[in-house]
């Protein structure tokens, strides 16, 4: 109705799961309505260890790569919020390991809504060994390429597809210029794989890349590991299906 009244041109949602988005789009198409065209989950180089905020949804985990691909195949833009992890992937010295308060992770929860509560949620989500390793690797890549930590972090997320965009906050024009200037850059696959694995050891990077590639969207819209033969059959079914056609999820996917 809003679109018909000329009040909006496109419809999007925030923090919805794949299942919920699929159901909404299927309902819209079956009732001659306009389907959703955008979703806004949390998406960053920093992989949150838990829900950052209550009732939010994240696509940062490498195992969600096939879900991001699914959105692109169905004309849905992914607009990742908190793309710099509240500054963790923009300021190299923010929340250094030795500066963290032990009580943040092992003490009682602060009162909901307070500044301490917010800090606890952010640090518990982002200040993990894996994310510190990703930041260290991103800093090395930034130094070698003449870019900044923030630029490397955003390039990582943007490299997940042409349908992916990032949302960042800026308190000065120079920050906006810094972000806009990355349009002419892209990370190579080796850099992406190292950041994903949170390691620069070839054996670890290779193993993680293979593991990530094995996670696919299953027939029940969950994520499972599949073997190459089963995935090939599923991919062929996906290619021949109409957008939001439930038949695409009917092939049996076996766990590896």
């Amino acid at each position: 109705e809003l679109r018909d009244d000329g009040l909006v041109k496109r419809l999007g949602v925030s923090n919805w799961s794949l299942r919920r988005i699929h159901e909404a789009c299927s309902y819209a198409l079956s009732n001659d309505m306009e389907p959703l065209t955008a979703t806004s989950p949390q998406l960053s180089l920093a992989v949150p260890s838990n829900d950052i905020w209550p009732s939010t949804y994240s696509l940062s985990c490498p195992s969600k790569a096939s879900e991001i691909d699914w959105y692109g195949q169905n004309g849905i833009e992914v607009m990742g919020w908190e793309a710099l992890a509240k500054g963790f992937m923009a300021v190299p010295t923010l929340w250094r390991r030795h500066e963290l308060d032990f009580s943040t992770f092992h003490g009682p929860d602060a009162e909901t809504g307070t500044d301490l509560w917010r800090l606890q949620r952010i640090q518990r989500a982002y200040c993990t060994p894996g994310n510190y390793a990703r930041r260290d690797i991103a800093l090395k890549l930034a130094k070698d390429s003449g870019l900044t930590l923030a630029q490397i972090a955003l390039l990582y997320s943007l490299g997940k597809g042409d349908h992916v965009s990032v949302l960042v906050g800026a308190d000065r024009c120079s920050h906006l210029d810094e972000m806009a200037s990355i349009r002419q850059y892209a990370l190579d696959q080796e850099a992406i794989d190292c950041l994903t694995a949170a390691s620069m050891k070839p054996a670890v990077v290779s193993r993680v890349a293979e593991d990530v590639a094995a996670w696919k969207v299953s027939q029940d819209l969950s994520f499972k590991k599949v073997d190459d033969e089963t995935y090939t059959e599923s991919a062929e079914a996906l290619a021949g299906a109409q957008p939001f056609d439930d038949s695409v999820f009917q092939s049996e996917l076996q766990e590896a």
Side-chain angles (χ1 to χ4, degrees), residues 122-136:
I122 293 169
Q123 291 186 339
R124 288 174 180 176
Y126 292 132
C127 296
T128 67
N131 287 333
Y132 279 112
R134 291 184 179 93
R135 185 164 75 174
D136 290 342

Side-chain angles (χ1 to χ4, degrees), residues 103-111 116 120 124:
S103 65
T104 296
F105 302 93
H106 304 285
D109 293 341
E111 182 181 352
L116 180 57
Q120 282 183 338
R124 288 174 180 176

